[in-house]
Amino acid sequence: MKLRVNGRTLDVPDDSTVLRATRLAGVEVPTLCHDDRLKPAGACRLCLVRVRGIHNLVPACATPVTDGMEIETHTPEVEETRRTLLQLLAEDYAKEAVERWPEKQFHRWLRAYGIKSVNGCSEVHGPESEQAGKCESERTPVSLFPLSHFPTFSTAFRDTTHPYLAADMSRCIDCFRCVRICSEVQGQFVWHVTGPGHDARIVPDGATLLTSSCVSCGACVDTCPTGALEDQSILRHGPPTKWTRTTCPYCGVGCEMNVGTREGRIVQVKPLFDAPVSKGHLCVKGRYAFDFTHAADRVTEPMIREDGEWHKVSWPEAIECVANNFSRILEETGPDSLGVLGSARGTNEENYLAQKFARVVLGTNNVDCCARVCHAPTAAGMKQTLGTGAATNSFDDIEHAAAFVVCGCNPTENHPIVGARIKQAVLRGAKLIVIDPREIELVQYADVHLQLRPGTNVPLLHALAHVIVTEGLTDEAALRDRVSDFEAYCDFIAAWTPERAAAITGVSADLIRQAARLYSTHQPAMCFHGLGMTEHVQGTESVMCLVNLALLTGNFGKPGSGVNPLRGQNNVQGAAQMGCEPGNLTGFVPLDQGRDAFEAVWQAPIPHTPGWNLMQMMDAAADQKLRALWAIGYDVALTNPNAIVTRGALAKLDFVVVQDMFMNELAREFGHVFLPACSSFEKDGTFMNSERRVQRVRQALKPLGHSKPDWKIICAVAKAMQRSAGLRPGVFKAVQRAGSETGAPVQGGFDFHSPEEIWNEVRAVWKAGAGISYARLEHGGLQWPCPAEDHPGTTILHAESFPHGQRAPLKRVEFTPTTETTTAEFPFLLTTGRTLYQFNAGTMTMRTPNAMLRATDTLDIAPADARRLSLHDGERVRVRSRHGAAVMPLRLDARVKPGELFATFHTTGVFLNQLTSPHRDRVVMTPEYKVVAVSVEKA
């Protein structure tokens, strides 16, 4: 539409508000109740403007534009109205707050309009509102809930007990942004307006924030214009003096954030409004759990263990020790007696170098990463069916979906920003099916909850497919044009009736039918799945069964649909994609398919001997075939299953190099050399999130002490190996000749000077990422495939075809039950998972105030089972399986079914993997973490 702002003509989008139009015109209109993340409220009236032809002043934030509109933003009448409104709000407002926190939005406007704290009541003229001209004591806020529903506060609510959030509601100006953002963005509904007239208060739904339903996301703090809600870190350290845009180091959602530093440490993290994934929102980990960077036990000096004791050494000494020992073992027993583990916490560039080091320098394909123990079944299952082992769609499709299947994942706790977006979509009317043994938070919003027994994913998914096929709920066009093997599949699936599946899964046949009909008739429908799908003996096949549902119903290749894994760590998608995988090179290209192209760039041979994955490396170590291990940012001693067997294998290794930020369990028990690495806040690079989006990581801090980025450490060891007698002949000579002719960065070698140089080599070998340059990433992340620099990236896969052809096959999967079954000795089935406040092995979060919010792992049990065993909430119990035992506190939880248990695995003191099983996925060997038969007794 064409309109005029202060006499200037401009074109604006049809759906614009007047406020957006003024911004496009470069005019700043004051606001207090407005936040771009929220629906317009028009409550504070500070954004009132004059529109020609309208008698009253109108709120710019809530007024849509019309073609030909003429807007005046700063007439004397408008300015006097704003001044009067600010004067009313400033009555009895703390002068010292304005002076101490001048950058707050409200304080900035007070200064801009020359308003100081005043006594008494000022008459206001101009705004056409029933509230205009009244003192604060006469204004009547909206009472949303009866006061009796919430704690009674005789004065304004104050709370400093929370480790991250501070509240002083005496500075509240009743903009209600905290109330609205908690409901409209996070969907938590913590803040409420209670009481009538002058007694109205904005209060949480608990006596304190710690006892409320608050999830500590900090959205209320971020939106507060006065500091009535504030970050505790700012109160302790003062505001940041520098801001750096980077990507979160926690889960695989890939939220971008602004990191605020002051005097060499992080003091605040804020969300970015233009971040495509998080859209101005963060969770408790991304926003607040950053103190691990300066933890007291951070290791910042290289160390070598001699006679059982760790000794600090120089970097040259440590690097030389690693190179000499690797060379010695190479010479004695050959390249396949060594292994390398990349890191999901490292950047794409660093993981690329890790696998290149294994293949080019050591001469082995023994390289893997933690994708092995989580989503390797997803990569394998989706690649076998759809041709690409990654998410088919984007997080932005959440807002386009009519229905969701959330299967084996708990997004509101483990991927909170995605969880909040799903919750908001359901609140707007989308349908939701939850497949999970527990009543996770999203069950409150679900239309159907399929509460299956752990280990029975395949029968349940088969029964859903049976209903879709036999009731004619398939997408005929998709079956005709894009799907193969339908007739054979129909014959196979006919036997999997809901009644048959009900007997195995414990889910009623009626619920199975209801879920199948809902998924197939509400289009488009989007599937999200997690480790509850993959960490089973049939994890890969379970993913194939989930893909079958999408193929049958045509839920692929279009907005709001698809099969989308929620990856657990910040760069686990990238680590595997960069080639930290024994059978695949960068881009997940099979060795034999990519060999010629990679050898041409690297100018070095790629070994032909098949490599060992992580679990095979442990088997080989137990058999003394694997002698050396370089573990980069990966504590396999703590996180591998069946710890007794794992420790026995690790103890037989001759040489273990640990590269990490902290003295982890692998280093403490088995390490020989410790190489101190940087956090992601201390280096540059890129991460790859769950939706295939590559995003920049930017250095916000100097490396602590003498720690180094992983890429610099890998390059240093590679160069030292060049000088070492055990290096395979000819490799570095060939590489040096190639580089010396042009003077350009050496492709194939390790003489890199920046992460960008490494990334450019990645682009040279990975066709699907060739168009993703650092220059383009400065303007935002890009999703692969992105084969050229003029390509926009790919938000939705398989729209026209699959990588392997026009059609994708329906997989016929025979059910193989887990051997982890209950007996009189082991009467419970235990499943495991993460919690909101902790992350994986707790390496980072347990070194932050998150430890106050969740101090230990717990064993969650149904109250009825606890009563039967005479066990009480909080007491310590021994959990015993056929494979080991662990001791932890008990927590009574009605969300857990009788006969089943749930435990988290974040603390070394509990060490839950002492009791997990040795069973593995039949295709990719991912451990069966999600089901183990146990007994429970008082410790």
Side-chain angles (χ1 to χ4, degrees):
M1 293 184 180
K2 191 179 293 294
L3 49 78
R4 292 171 67 84
V5 176
N6 296 342
R8 177 189 169 191
T9 301
L10 68 155
D11 294 318
V12 300
D14 292 353
D15 59 352
S16 299
T17 61
V18 170
L19 181 62
R20 185 181 180 191
T22 63
R23 290 177 175 174
L24 291 172
V27 177
E28 185 176 22
V29 171
T31 64
L32 285 176
C33 71
H34 182 75
D35 185 314
D36 286 342
R37 295 166 289 189
L38 306 177
K39 299 171 187 174
C44 74
R45 319 303 282 178
L46 198 62
C47 68
L48 290 171
V49 296
R50 172 61 68 192
V51 174
R52 185 176 180 180
I54 300 178
H55 177 68
N56 301 328
L57 298 179
V58 299
C61 68
T63 303
V65 298
T66 59
D67 199 41
M69 180 179 275
E70 295 186 22
I71 304 162
E72 295 290 339
T73 64
H74 288 76
T75 66
E77 173 196 22
V78 169
E79 289 291 82
E80 184 57 30
T81 299
R82 290 174 184 153
R83 190 171 290 108
T84 303
L85 288 168
L86 287 167
Q87 219 168 0
L88 286 169
L89 291 171
E91 288 180 0
D92 301 324
Y93 191 83
K95 181 180 178 181
E96 60 272 17
V98 180
E99 294 173 348
R100 184 181 180 190
W101 307 106
E103 80 288 350
K104 296 294 181 184
Q105 187 180 8
F106 178 50
H107 304 167
R108 186 164 62 87
W109 289 123
L110 290 179
R111 290 197 315 276
Y113 281 85
I115 306 298
K116 297 183 179 179
S117 182
V118 296
N119 296 319
C121 177
S122 298
E123 187 73 8
V124 179
H125 301 280
E128 300 294 327
S129 167
E130 292 181 3
Q131 303 293 339
K134 294 184 179 180
C135 295
E136 181 149 355
S137 62
E138 296 174 291
R139 283 185 281 145
T140 306
V142 179
S143 182
L144 302 180
F145 294 89
L147 187 63
S148 60
H149 287 195
F150 302 95
T152 301
F153 299 92
S154 58
T155 59
F157 175 73
R158 289 181 173 87
D159 183 15
T160 58
T161 61
H162 195 284
Y164 295 130
L165 313 176
D168 179 3
M169 302 308 282
S170 68
R171 289 168 59 182
C172 177
I173 58 172
D174 293 336
C175 69
F176 305 136
R177 280 161 65 170
C178 57
V179 178
R180 292 157 55 213
I181 203 165
C182 192
S183 61
E184 294 180 26
V185 175
Q186 178 57 35
Q188 209 64 29
F189 307 97
V190 175
W191 294 103
H192 300 282
V193 183
T194 65
H198 184 69
D199 293 327
R201 297 284 186 269
I202 295 178
V203 298
D205 58 7
T208 67
L209 287 170
L210 281 173
T211 59
S212 74
S213 61
C214 176
V215 293
S216 310
C217 70
C220 57
V221 171
D222 192 62
T223 196
C224 180
T226 69
L229 297 168
E230 187 57 275
D231 288 336
Q232 292 274 24
S233 60
I234 294 300
L235 300 178
R236 288 194 301 269
H237 303 296
T241 56
K242 180 185 176 184
W243 292 96
T244 304
R245 182 176 185 137
T246 191
T247 304
C248 181
Y250 283 103
C251 78
V253 172
C255 300
E256 287 184 280
M257 56 195 193
N258 237 357
V259 176
T261 52
R262 183 187 182 98
E263 297 175 353
R265 69 180 302 144
I266 301 171
V267 295
Q268 190 177 37
V269 170
K270 293 176 73 67
L272 288 160
F273 280 41
D274 63 346
V277 172
S278 44
K279 301 185 185 301
H281 194 30
L282 292 172
C283 78
V284 59
K285 293 185 285 288
R287 183 171 172 100
Y288 292 119
F290 49 74
D291 279 349
F292 67 88
T293 59
H294 282 73
D297 63 340
R298 173 89 181 263
V299 180
T300 61
E301 304 286 341
M303 295 189 293
I304 295 175
R305 198 202 300 260
E306 295 177 352
D307 300 324
E309 299 292 328
W310 286 103
H311 301 280
K312 294 179 182 178
V313 297
S314 67
W315 270 110
E317 289 176 281
I319 296 298
E320 200 67 23
C321 178
V322 173
N324 288 342
N325 278 280
F326 281 172
S327 297
R328 172 181 58 81
I329 293 170
L330 273 172
E331 186 174 358
E332 291 173 355
T333 49
D336 292 320
S337 59
L338 299 93
V340 177
L341 296 177
S343 175
R345 289 185 289 156
T347 64
N348 291 315
E349 294 80 359
E350 291 164 339
N351 281 286
Y352 172 79
L353 288 186
Q355 61 87 31
K356 181 182 175 183
F357 176 89
R359 291 177 165 119
V360 170
V361 179
L362 298 181
T364 182
N365 287 311
N366 294 344
V367 59
D368 209 355
C369 67
C370 72
R372 180 63 45 198
V373 300
C374 58
H375 270 291
T378 291
M382 293 182 69
K383 187 162 188 176
Q384 287 189 42
T385 51
L386 301 176
T388 300
T392 62
N393 286 62
S394 305
F395 293 138
D396 274 353
D397 286 295
I398 291 171
E399 284 71 33
H400 297 283
F404 298 95
V405 176
V406 173
C407 186
C409 57
N410 186 6
T412 56
E413 289 205 57
N414 301 333
H415 303 85
I417 301 308
V418 167
R421 290 178 67 175
I422 294 172
K423 191 191 303 185
Q424 292 295 337
V426 174
L427 289 170
R428 290 190 299 268
K431 302 299 181 181
L432 174 61
I433 301 164
V434 172
I435 302 175
D436 201 285
R438 289 192 306 149
E439 290 185 13
I440 62 173
E441 182 189 355
L442 283 179
V443 170
Q444 300 173 36
Y445 307 90
D447 296 273
V448 183
H449 178 203
L450 304 180
Q451 198 170 10
L452 75 172
R453 292 190 185 103
T456 62
N457 290 328
V458 168
L460 179 64
L461 296 171
H462 279 345
L464 292 170
H466 173 95
V467 175
I468 292 169
V469 170
T470 59
E471 295 190 3
L473 302 174
T474 57
D475 184 316
E476 296 305 315
L479 292 177
R480 182 185 65 246
D481 300 331
R482 303 293 305 279
V483 178
S484 62
D485 300 335
F486 179 60
E487 290 186 6
Y489 182 79
C490 287
D491 293 339
F492 166 80
I493 209 67
W496 278 102
T497 65
E499 286 73 19
R500 178 186 177 188
I504 300 170
T505 65
V507 179
S508 76
D510 286 345
L511 279 179
I512 292 172
R513 288 189 172 91
Q514 184 181 343
R517 293 164 185 162
L518 190 152
Y519 172 69
S520 55
T521 58
H522 289 79
Q523 297 278 338
M526 193 172 190
C527 291
F528 286 104
H529 71 273
L531 305 190
M533 278 284 289
T534 61
E535 291 180 341
H536 293 279
V537 292
Q538 283 195 287
T540 301
E541 292 159 305
S542 294
V543 173
M544 293 178 182
C545 293
L546 190 62
V547 171
N548 283 344
L549 299 184
L551 293 176
L552 288 169
T553 57
N555 276 302
F556 61 90
K558 61 186 179 184
S561 69
V563 178
N564 302 279
L566 292 176
R567 306 303 298 257
Q569 295 196 58
N570 55 304
N571 203 36
V572 65
Q573 177 78 54
Q577 196 72 19
M578 289 300 103
C580 285
E581 218 277 344
N584 293 290
L585 296 163
T586 306
F588 226 69
V589 177
L591 284 169
D592 290 339
Q593 291 182 24
R595 185 181 307 279
D596 291 345
F598 277 75
E599 288 183 346
V601 172
W602 288 352
Q603 301 200 18
I606 294 173
H608 287 265
T609 304
W612 290 323
N613 64 41
L614 167 61
M615 306 312 295
Q616 292 170 317
M617 287 188 211
M618 294 300 99
D619 296 341
D623 294 339
Q624 295 185 298
K625 295 177 181 177
L626 187 79
R627 295 181 56 198
L629 182 68
W630 187 358
I632 302 171
Y634 191 3
D635 187 359
V636 292
L638 181 64
T639 60
N640 263 25
N642 197 16
I644 294 172
V645 173
T646 297
R647 282 175 155 173
L650 292 170
K652 293 183 179 181
L653 290 170
D654 293 345
F655 188 61
V656 176
V657 180
V658 175
Q659 188 164 309
D660 214 305
M661 295 170 60
F662 302 100
M663 181 61 63
N664 60 28
E665 298 306 302
L666 178 64
R668 188 173 287 110
E669 261 192 272
F670 307 106
H672 297 90
V673 178
F674 191 99
L675 305 176
C678 288
S679 74
S680 65
F681 293 119
E682 300 160 39
K683 60 188 176 186
D684 290 316
T686 59
F687 289 156
M688 185 186 298
N689 77 347
S690 291
E691 56 170 5
R692 299 171 283 105
R693 187 184 300 274
V694 178
Q695 299 180 118
R696 283 281 279 114
V697 176
R698 297 176 180 86
Q699 182 177 351
L701 297 170
K702 292 181 179 179
L704 204 65
H706 290 96
S707 63
K708 291 179 180 289
D710 292 300
W711 69 270
K712 286 188 176 182
I713 300 172
I714 296 169
C715 288
V717 174
K719 292 174 183 177
M721 292 286 288
Q722 177 186 5
R723 300 188 296 269
S724 200
L727 182 69
R728 294 182 298 140
V731 172
F732 273 85
K733 290 180 181 178
V735 171
Q736 285 175 334
R737 282 198 302 272
S740 62
E741 295 172 4
T742 62
V746 179
Q747 289 185 334
F750 290 82
D751 189 20
F752 296 102
H753 302 95
S754 70
E756 184 176 8
E757 286 186 5
I758 304 168
W759 183 252
N760 284 337
E761 184 172 303
V762 172
R763 295 169 62 203
V765 296
W766 179 34
K767 292 181 180 179
I772 305 176
S773 66
Y774 266 45
R776 293 187 72 191
L777 291 177
E778 284 304 307
H779 303 288
L782 290 165
Q783 291 169 269
W784 60 266
C786 182
E789 292 203 36
D790 59 355
H791 192 284
T794 306
T795 58
I796 300 173
L797 298 179
H798 317 312
E800 302 296 332
S801 63
F802 303 99
H804 50 54
Q806 186 65 25
R807 297 174 180 270
L810 291 163
K811 292 291 185 177
R812 303 184 293 279
V813 175
E814 296 293 345
F815 174 50
T816 303
T818 177
T819 57
E820 284 293 327
T821 55
T822 57
T823 63
E825 184 180 3
F826 302 105
F828 292 96
L829 283 183
L830 170 69
T831 190
T832 65
R834 298 200 315 219
T835 185
L836 172 66
Y837 295 110
Q838 295 299 336
F839 184 70
N840 287 359
T843 306
M844 298 187 293
T845 48
M846 286 302 292
R847 292 174 169 88
T848 74
N850 275 35
M852 295 174 59
L853 300 173
R854 173 81 176 193
T856 182
D857 292 321
T858 61
L859 180 72
D860 296 353
I861 189 171
D865 284 335
R867 286 193 299 270
R868 181 170 53 82
L869 297 174
S870 299
L871 299 174
H872 304 286
D873 192 67
E875 74 176 312
R876 295 179 66 76
V877 295
R878 181 180 302 278
V879 189
R880 187 170 59 88
S881 74
R882 298 176 177 93
H883 321 288
V887 175
M888 66 188 79
L890 190 74
R891 185 173 73 166
L892 273 59
D893 190 344
R895 299 174 302 171
V896 178
K897 285 190 302 183
E900 296 177 10
L901 305 167
F902 175 81
T904 53
F905 49 81
H906 305 299
T907 53
T908 56
V910 169
F911 200 174
L912 189 69
N913 278 318
Q914 294 176 109
L915 58 82
T916 47
S917 82
H919 309 308
R920 301 171 184 174
D921 174 80
R922 302 193 306 175
V923 179
V924 295
M925 297 189 180
T926 294
E928 188 185 40
Y929 289 104
K930 293 302 179 188
V931 54
V932 59
V934 300
S935 64
V936 184
E937 60 190 15
K938 292 184 180 181

